[in-house]
Amino acid sequence: MLKMKDIIDEKDKRLREISKEVKLPLNEEQKQTIKDIIEMLTNSQIPELSEKYNLRPGMGLAAIQLGIPERYFVVVHEYEEGKFDNYVLINPKVVSHSEEIIYVGEGEGCLSVNREVAGIVPRYARITVEGYDEDGNLIRVRGREELSIAFQHELDHLDGILFYDKIDKKNPYKNKEKYREI
């Protein structure tokens, strides 16, 4: 099972790399990595398992966060207590997004950033992403609110962008009144 030590820290320059397109079909190593990520993210959101395995809660992880510069990410979304949807997006592209901008009230976090970062990270309230699943099928997924934020956060990782890059350095809460808090 993946452990927190397997996730590279923000100080690691590899996090700033632009990930490369993935050749399909996936090889066995890539498929296993995806399974491992799903297991870790799921366990991290179940308090007893999070504590048992010493995991920080997280709902998404991009391959680059494991030092793999490939364009894919996994989001494990708890839509109801103890019930999860897994999203695996390979070579994802944004198809459309809302005009409405939202932000996470308590601030965004990242498994590669082991500290609190204050400020507003503006994100689209809704987003539609197209990519491929583990079997190489073209898929289109729509995310709203929390899921939309997770998709955008992970998409940024594929381009070497960390969430705090989007926070205004001089005024971390700039435009708070214009955006909707979730």
Side-chain angles (χ1 to χ4, degrees):
M1 187 176 85
L2 288 175
K3 296 181 176 44
M4 292 308 297
K5 68 175 179 47
D6 298 321
I7 299 171
I8 62 178
D9 183 79
E10 65 181 304
K11 295 176 197 84
D12 191 313
K13 289 180 172 55
R14 291 176 291 175
L15 273 182
R16 296 303 187 163
E17 283 181 32
I18 295 177
S19 296
K20 307 275 184 272
E21 291 271 316
V22 176
K23 285 189 176 68
L24 295 167
L26 296 180
N27 62 39
E28 288 310 309
E29 186 180 352
Q30 290 165 319
K31 287 179 181 177
Q32 187 58 53
T33 298
I34 289 167
K35 281 185 188 141
D36 292 346
I37 293 171
I38 290 170
E39 180 188 24
M40 188 200 85
L41 291 174
T42 304
N43 290 345
S44 82
Q45 294 179 62
I46 300 170
E48 309 80 65
L49 296 178
S50 173
E51 195 172 321
K52 178 180 176 181
Y53 297 119
N54 194 27
L55 300 171
R56 282 183 39 222
M59 74 183 273
L61 196 74
I64 192 64
Q65 291 178 271
L66 298 173
I68 303 166
E70 297 177 345
R71 293 190 82 77
Y72 69 88
F73 66 79
V74 176
V75 170
V76 175
H77 180 239
E78 186 173 21
Y79 62 90
E80 193 179 296
E81 180 138 358
K83 294 186 178 174
F84 301 90
D85 278 331
N86 300 331
Y87 298 90
V88 176
L89 281 153
I90 301 160
N91 299 334
K93 292 182 177 32
V94 176
V95 177
S96 65
H97 60 76
S98 64
E99 286 186 30
E100 183 186 14
I101 303 292
I102 59 175
Y103 67 94
V104 179
E106 67 264 12
E108 265 184 52
C110 178
L111 293 173
S112 291
V113 179
N114 298 304
R115 60 189 173 93
E116 293 283 318
V117 181
I120 288 175
V121 181
R123 302 284 191 190
Y124 299 114
R126 292 169 303 288
I127 189 170
T128 301
V129 181
E130 202 171 77
Y132 296 89
D133 65 13
E134 301 105 309
D135 299 319
N137 300 309
L138 185 63
I139 56 170
R140 185 180 276 218
V141 292
R142 184 172 164 81
R144 300 181 59 211
E145 310 275 318
E146 184 180 57
L147 194 53
S148 174
I149 288 172
F151 287 164
Q152 292 168 77
H153 180 108
E154 300 311 327
L155 281 159
D156 282 347
H157 273 302
L158 303 182
D159 292 323
I161 298 166
L162 294 175
F163 76 94
Y164 56 71
D165 297 340
K166 296 185 174 282
I167 298 173
D168 187 295
K169 307 287 178 267
K170 293 187 179 75
N171 182 1
Y173 294 94
K174 183 178 178 181
N175 294 325
K176 182 176 183 165
E177 65 291 338
K178 285 184 180 177
Y179 308 144
R180 181 166 57 88
E181 178 181 337
I182 66 159

